Amino acid sequence: MTSTLTRQRISRIYDRGDLLPPATSGIWQVCQGWVQLNTYMAMGEERVLGWVGPSMWLGEGLTTRHNHQMKALSRVLMTWYPLDEIRHSPKLGYALLQQKAKRLYQLEHLLSITAQKRASDRLDNLLQLLIREMGQPTAEGVRLKARLTHQDLANAIGVNRVTVTRILGEFKRQNRLFLDASKHWLVMPEESQELNIV
């Protein structure tokens, strides 16, 4: 992790796998890369709360979970905004409100996914959510911009890693997804569903 001063703002860089320190008295804006938000349940199980990518925000007021963890899924560059500046800027305040709405959207979808009985349905619906959140259309399929491990996917849908590995194997045999040379998932979107990638 390194720190620099860019345009009179504090910026930090984290490498893939780094745990980001909790933000206090301000908000970080992700300029590059992807961050996964995790939490721990009462029995010690790790669960995914969502993902934050370019132009999205992390920090105070964006989660009520005190035991959450922020993990860099790639090389991440972030820029710091102090709370006083946000309070006095309608533009920044509006942007923060939009971020809360986006995070709520992710959480609602993750909750509805984990309510499904079949693990394969959970994983299928998670992949469709990930296409929307971080999908990049290519000639081969939709490439997920962040590298997600089998364990990351398992934590997102509330099953064990072995189950996810088995289902991914089935999906690969059905030519529904595969890994590209850089270990990013390439997903074939459902034909009946229009791509709505943001």
Side-chain angles (χ1 to χ4, degrees), residues 12 14 21 30 52 59 61 79 83 85-86 88-89 98-99 102 105 107 119 125 131 134-136 142 191 194:
R12 289 191 179 161
Y14 295 90
V30 176
V52 179
T79 301
L83 282 181
E85 182 179 357
I86 294 168
H88 294 96
S89 169
Q98 287 182 309
Q99 292 301 305
K102 187 171 182 66
Y105 173 89
L107 278 172
N125 282 289
I131 284 174
M134 60 176 73
Q136 176 184 22
V142 180
E191 292 181 10
E194 273 189 41

Side-chain angles (χ1 to χ4, degrees), residues 149-152 154-155 159-166 168:
T149 66
H150 291 202
Q151 190 64 60
D152 291 329
N155 292 344
V159 300
N160 61 49
R161 184 188 56 77
V162 173
T163 300
V164 164
T165 299
R166 176 181 55 79
L168 287 172

Side-chain angles (χ1 to χ4, degrees), residues 42-80:
M43 299 298 291
E45 295 176 344
E46 189 174 349
R47 290 292 173 88
V48 173
L49 294 174
W51 302 272
V52 179
S55 299
M56 295 176 66
W57 299 55
L58 287 165
E60 203 166 290
L62 287 170
T63 183
T64 58
R65 298 287 298 187
H66 297 293
N67 60 340
H68 76 284
Q69 181 186 76
M70 300 178 289
K71 180 179 78 172
L73 294 176
S74 63
R75 188 170 176 81
V76 173
L77 169 64
M78 301 191 306
T79 301
W80 176 256

Side-chain angles (χ1 to χ4, degrees), residues 16-30:
R16 176 176 166 78
D18 285 351
L19 296 180
L20 284 58
T24 56
S25 302
I27 303 288
W28 289 102
Q29 183 179 40
V30 176

Side-chain angles (χ1 to χ4, degrees), residues 29-193:
Q29 183 179 40
V30 176
C31 302
Q32 174 187 317
W34 284 88
V35 177
Q36 181 169 279
L37 308 176
N38 300 321
T39 192
Y40 291 91
M41 310 306 286
M43 299 298 291
E45 295 176 344
E46 189 174 349
R47 290 292 173 88
V48 173
L49 294 174
W51 302 272
V52 179
S55 299
M56 295 176 66
W57 299 55
L58 287 165
E60 203 166 290
L62 287 170
T63 183
T64 58
R65 298 287 298 187
H66 297 293
N67 60 340
H68 76 284
Q69 181 186 76
M70 300 178 289
K71 180 179 78 172
L73 294 176
S74 63
R75 188 170 176 81
V76 173
L77 169 64
M78 301 191 306
T79 301
W80 176 256
Y81 289 81
L83 282 181
D84 281 346
E85 182 179 357
I86 294 168
R87 288 191 189 106
H88 294 96
S89 169
K91 183 178 178 180
L92 289 175
Y94 179 69
L96 189 59
L97 184 62
Q98 287 182 309
Q99 292 301 305
K100 287 187 176 187
K102 187 171 182 66
R103 293 276 293 282
L104 181 61
Y105 173 89
Q106 285 185 357
L107 278 172
E108 285 179 342
H109 274 73
L110 285 169
L111 279 173
S112 67
I113 287 168
T114 56
Q116 295 175 316
K117 286 188 177 181
R118 294 178 51 190
S120 59
D121 290 339
R122 291 187 189 189
L123 186 55
D124 186 39
N125 282 289
L126 175 65
L127 291 172
Q128 298 310 313
L129 173 62
L130 289 169
I131 284 174
R132 185 188 187 283
E133 293 297 309
M134 60 176 73
Q136 176 184 22
T138 70
E140 295 82 23
V142 180
R143 180 180 186 266
L144 301 185
K145 294 176 185 175
R147 284 172 54 191
L148 297 164
T149 66
H150 291 202
Q151 190 64 60
D152 291 329
L153 298 174
N155 292 344
I157 63 174
V159 300
N160 61 49
R161 184 188 56 77
V162 173
T163 300
V164 164
T165 299
R166 176 181 55 79
I167 298 168
L168 287 172
E170 293 172 7
F171 287 0
K172 286 178 188 177
R173 285 189 291 277
Q174 297 166 4
N175 294 318
R176 295 174 60 186
L177 82 159
F178 58 93
L179 285 171
D180 68 9
S182 60
K183 305 292 185 185
H184 287 252
W185 290 107
L186 277 165
V187 184
M188 306 301 118
E190 296 176 3
E191 292 181 10
S192 60
Q193 182 178 353

